[in-house]
Amino acid sequence: MMGDFIDEYIRHNIKSWVSRHQPSASLRGRLLLLAASRDHIDNPDDLNAYGLPCDKKINCIRPLATNRFPAERMVEPVAQARLWLLHIYPSFLRMVT
Amino acid sequence: MPGFCDQDLVLQMQQGNLEALGELYDRHRQVVYRTALAVTGDGEAANDLLQEVFLRLYRFAGRIDSQRPLEPWLYRMTANLAYTWVRQNHRWFKPLEDLVEWFSVGDENPPHAIVERRDDWREVQKAVSRLPLSHRIVVVLYYLNDLSLQEISDILDVPVGTVKSRLHYGRKMLKKSLGLDKELVADFYYEAT
């Protein structure tokens, strides 16, 4: 009885958690676009030529979608760090010299 | 294409019909997305995995037996991709807040805290994300997708005994993480009923 209650508690809360999230609305269109592009492209090298990096071993597009659509990237930590260094490095040199 | 069953749509997809892929996506996107989300704990990753699962469905449509139900294939692909994602994105350090919580979980929870908690799902989310990956996948398939032990065994291609064992230990770890053990449960249970 108690075990049933715990099961129900876990079940209810896992469902409650995931039901608060929805798949991205633009995903359907993007999926069909990518699938359509694969219709005409069989060779992984061709995919690379289209700017869609492809893992040859498993024959599917890599990396993940966020990397394929640069406009959708939220932040780019490495690039930002580089920019920060460009700003800070000359002034640091000036201070030392 | 609402009049068609999954099997018909798979057959159409095997002939390159993109509309069939779109229809299958509409029917099954929630279950794939939610499974991926529960295993990875990451909304962006769940979106990426959702896309990848359906791209593979289209890509490998020719190898799919249209006479068999599609959902087990989707679960298997989602579990495999989520497994790979978690292993590749394993974080070697946790944010300080998580770390503090990690150490404070368990005995310090007063009995009334469980009853008073309004965001229980947040606690369950954290507890699930702390489970070892193989246990987490079984817990998600069992509790979220209401699959039987036999179905999970078929999907993950492991013996039923292994599924049972992973579920047992996963459940035990969840109980401990959530403070749902012994007298705490009794208090909560009696107040809730």
Side-chain angles (χ1 to χ4, degrees):
Chain A
M1 187 90 174
M2 199 73 75
D4 291 346
F5 173 75
I6 291 171
D7 280 340
E8 206 41 56
Y9 176 85
I10 295 169
R11 180 170 286 117
H12 170 78
N13 282 294
I14 289 182
K15 288 183 178 181
S16 172
W17 156 37
V18 297
S19 66
R20 288 160 200 272
H21 299 266
Q22 291 294 325
S24 163
S26 62
L27 207 58
R28 190 182 194 278
R30 191 192 304 172
L31 169 72
L32 295 181
L33 187 70
L34 281 168
S37 72
R38 285 181 181 202
D39 261 352
H40 309 288
I41 303 167
D42 282 330
N43 187 337
D45 293 329
D46 292 341
L47 282 171
N48 290 324
Y50 275 72
L52 301 171
C54 182
D55 184 331
K56 290 180 185 178
K57 191 178 165 194
I58 51 174
N59 204 21
C60 79
I61 295 172
R62 287 284 175 196
L64 297 172
T66 42
N67 294 334
R68 286 197 291 275
F69 294 87
E72 293 180 16
R73 286 183 200 161
M74 299 293 285
V75 284
E76 218 175 330
V78 177
Q80 278 180 352
R82 276 195 206 131
L83 201 62
W84 181 78
L85 276 173
L86 281 173
H87 276 92
I88 206 77
Y89 193 57
S91 49
F92 175 72
L93 278 178
R94 253 180 265 126
M95 274 174 63
V96 176
T97 54
Chain B
M1 309 174 79
F4 292 100
C5 65
D6 280 3
Q7 280 81 0
D8 293 336
L9 292 171
V10 169
L11 283 172
Q12 291 189 32
M13 204 174 51
Q14 287 171 346
Q15 290 156 4
N17 186 341
L18 274 174
E19 266 187 68
L21 173 66
E23 178 66 25
L24 286 170
Y25 173 82
D26 291 340
R27 287 184 191 181
H28 300 287
R29 66 166 188 250
Q30 291 290 1
V31 77
V32 170
Y33 176 79
R34 288 175 177 179
T35 304
L37 176 65
V39 175
T40 61
D42 183 312
E44 280 301 308
N47 274 319
D48 283 337
L49 295 182
L50 171 61
Q51 176 182 290
E52 194 61 38
V53 166
F54 280 92
L55 276 176
R56 287 186 185 210
L57 176 67
Y58 188 67
R59 180 80 178 166
F60 301 120
R63 298 185 202 171
I64 294 172
D65 183 355
S66 61
Q67 299 308 309
R68 301 174 72 177
L70 184 62
E71 284 218 333
W73 188 95
L74 292 172
Y75 282 128
R76 183 180 301 129
M77 191 54 75
T78 308
N80 284 344
L81 290 174
Y83 192 89
T84 306
W85 187 91
V86 173
R87 284 181 61 186
Q88 285 175 347
N89 292 274
H90 178 71
R91 279 178 284 172
W92 292 99
F93 64 92
K94 283 172 170 281
L96 192 59
E97 197 181 320
D98 269 11
L99 205 62
V100 171
E101 276 187 43
W102 174 270
F103 285 113
S104 64
V105 157
D107 298 335
E108 287 78 11
N109 283 339
H112 62 272
I114 294 171
V115 181
E116 288 174 357
R117 233 160 31 199
R118 292 179 184 226
D119 288 341
D120 281 4
W121 62 270
R122 285 185 203 279
E123 300 301 320
V124 171
Q125 176 190 358
K126 284 179 191 167
V128 168
S129 71
R130 287 172 189 150
L131 291 175
L133 191 48
S134 55
H135 294 64
R136 197 189 312 167
I137 289 174
V138 170
V139 162
V140 167
L141 292 176
Y142 183 78
Y143 286 113
L144 176 64
N145 299 310
D146 296 320
L147 298 179
S148 69
L149 298 179
Q150 184 60 56
E151 285 169 324
I152 298 172
S153 157
D154 293 340
I155 286 165
L156 300 180
D157 199 21
V158 293
V160 177
T162 306
V163 174
K164 206 182 278 187
S165 160
R166 287 178 188 173
L167 184 63
H168 172 76
Y169 285 105
R171 191 168 170 275
K172 202 172 167 183
M173 285 182 253
L174 281 179
K175 272 170 68 181
K176 195 180 173 194
S177 261
L178 294 165
L180 287 172
D181 43 4
K182 297 167 193 156
E183 67 277 9
L184 303 186
V185 172
D187 286 349
F188 181 48
Y189 179 70
Y190 289 123
E191 291 212 22
T193 50

